[in-house]
Amino acid sequence: MILIVSHADDVHATRVLGTLSARGADAVLFDLADFPLKTSIDVAAGDHSSQDINITVETDGGTYDFGEVRAVWWRRPRQFGMDPDMRSEEDRQFAYNECYSAVWGMWLCLEPFWVNHPMQEEAASRKVYQLKAARQAGLRIPETCITNSPERAAAFASAQGGRTVYKAFSATESAWRETRLLRPEELPLLEQVRNAPVIFQRYIEAGYDLRITIIGDRIFPARILSQEQDYKVDFRIHINDVKIEPCTLPAGVEAGLRSLMDRLGLVYGAIDMRLTPEGEYVFLEINPTGQWLFIEAATGQPIAAAVADLLIRHDLGP
């Protein structure tokens, strides 16, 4: 059985689920937001069990023996759905922690093929760690300063001669934060850095941007002609208008990216890079759950099929 941990509004998950269904695969969409109110789990352990641990999950869609799960796509897990009638914040936090402990214990008891394992993904999503791993993999990274010191931030910006970008560690659908070029009139605002650390980097001039999707041993590079748009710092500002084309990578860059994936313990990753006007490839970041449908739509690269192929291959086993 193939498990996709996401939700019905995630178009990436539903696209792959449809592909799996069309191929006759036994695949289930599992939404953590349905637990514990709409979904129940039953974990049985003891000397008389047929297995070390028996895990049964009952949802609106049916009852499943999670011991049969052979492949998991850890796509976009949501937070548990707590009872709205539970008014006490202390009680809600206790209930959430209990759900978290039970479900994470359940994940650790499973022995499927993970895309990606949640613990590896958690570590790989940390941008500081990514930069270290990228350097170790032989990739060039921008000069970077991550700090909550206004003085250190100001000194770094000054050293870059007015070519500094800043970005956040995280964002949500409701509070999305693009990468921005630090303008002179914003320098007094650096005092606010005391409240939370910010990522400052030297701005990398681009011939074009790259989004490179890696799934197992398959790699799908695409060039994004971001410099044809009026906002040249972050291609996502013009994601619906920017031209995107398939491309190839130099062997050394591809080898470095595969080394990066191995170091981070990832099976899937969406990597952002820039190619400078001088022809140098610069690593910016990797998203272990990054989007790829916009790349597939623009380039025709069969990314959904590649995800499905990988899951089916490991579901069927050797």
Side-chain angles (χ1 to χ4, degrees):
M1 182 170 66
I2 297 170
L3 196 65
I4 299 178
V5 184
S6 190
H7 54 89
D9 292 331
D10 175 12
V11 293
H12 289 71
T14 55
R15 173 70 67 84
V16 172
L17 187 63
T19 302
L20 292 170
S21 298
R23 298 185 186 180
D26 182 13
V28 175
L29 183 66
F30 184 56
D31 187 355
L32 290 178
D34 289 338
F35 183 75
L37 298 183
K38 298 179 182 178
T39 295
S40 65
I41 65 171
D42 181 13
V43 180
D47 293 339
H48 301 293
S49 299
S50 59
Q51 303 177 38
D52 290 336
I53 298 289
N54 293 288
I55 301 172
T56 303
V57 176
E58 184 175 349
T59 72
D60 288 342
T63 301
Y64 306 97
D65 177 1
F66 269 30
E68 297 178 355
V69 173
R70 302 290 299 277
V72 180
W73 184 21
W74 186 259
R75 163 58 194 163
R76 283 292 167 94
R78 298 201 291 183
Q79 293 187 336
F80 305 121
M82 296 291 98
D83 187 344
D85 292 332
M86 191 182 302
R87 303 298 184 184
S88 165
E89 182 60 32
E90 183 178 355
D91 289 345
R92 289 176 63 84
Q93 189 61 54
F94 173 78
Y96 192 94
N97 289 343
E98 294 297 283
C99 290
Y100 184 91
S101 294
V103 171
W104 272 87
M106 179 181 76
W107 295 137
L108 293 174
C109 287
L110 302 182
E111 297 180 357
F113 176 78
W114 288 92
V115 184
N116 297 296
H117 192 287
M119 287 190 168
Q120 298 295 105
E121 183 172 297
E122 171 69 17
S125 67
R126 303 306 172 192
K127 289 183 169 55
V128 179
Y129 181 42
Q130 291 179 12
L131 293 173
K132 177 181 179 180
R135 282 290 302 272
Q136 291 175 334
L139 299 170
R140 181 191 164 188
I141 63 172
E143 188 171 352
T144 301
C145 173
I146 299 171
T147 185
N148 66 325
S149 163
E151 296 78 17
R152 180 70 184 95
F156 179 82
S158 176
Q160 306 312 313
R163 305 301 286 171
T164 303
V165 295
Y166 63 96
K167 58 186 180 180
F169 285 93
S170 61
T172 64
E173 292 181 5
S174 59
W176 184 76
R177 299 173 177 89
E178 73 276 10
T179 300
R180 297 180 180 180
L181 193 64
L182 183 64
R183 303 189 304 269
E185 61 268 27
E186 292 178 312
L187 291 176
L189 298 177
L190 290 177
E191 192 64 29
Q192 299 300 317
V193 170
R194 294 189 191 278
N195 297 314
V198 175
I199 303 170
F200 297 95
Q201 291 182 318
R202 179 171 182 81
Y203 177 59
I204 302 299
E205 298 284 352
Y208 54 80
D209 282 272
L210 295 119
R211 169 58 71 93
I212 303 149
T213 309
I214 298 181
I215 303 165
D217 59 359
R218 301 182 69 179
I219 185 166
F220 300 96
R223 61 170 158 252
I224 303 171
L225 305 184
S226 54
Q227 304 309 290
E228 296 180 358
Q229 304 296 325
D230 58 354
Y231 192 79
K232 305 180 187 303
V233 179
D234 191 331
F235 72 81
R236 296 172 297 175
I237 292 292
H238 296 289
I239 193 65
N240 295 320
D241 304 312
V242 69
K243 187 176 182 180
I244 304 173
E245 303 170 336
C247 67
T248 58
L249 297 173
V253 173
E254 184 173 323
L257 293 176
R258 293 190 185 280
S259 175
L260 173 66
M261 295 288 286
D262 290 341
R263 290 173 185 277
L264 296 177
L266 297 178
V267 175
Y268 169 86
I271 299 160
D272 290 327
M273 300 188 75
R274 287 200 137 186
L275 178 66
T276 70
E278 296 74 32
E280 191 168 12
Y281 289 81
V282 182
F283 170 87
L284 299 180
E285 62 182 54
I286 180 171
N287 188 334
T289 60
Q291 311 286 53
W292 44 260
L293 275 179
F294 74 101
I295 295 292
E296 181 173 89
T299 65
Q301 293 171 323
I303 301 176
V307 175
D309 289 343
L310 186 63
L311 293 170
I312 289 173
R313 184 163 72 248
H314 287 275
D315 183 41
L316 296 176

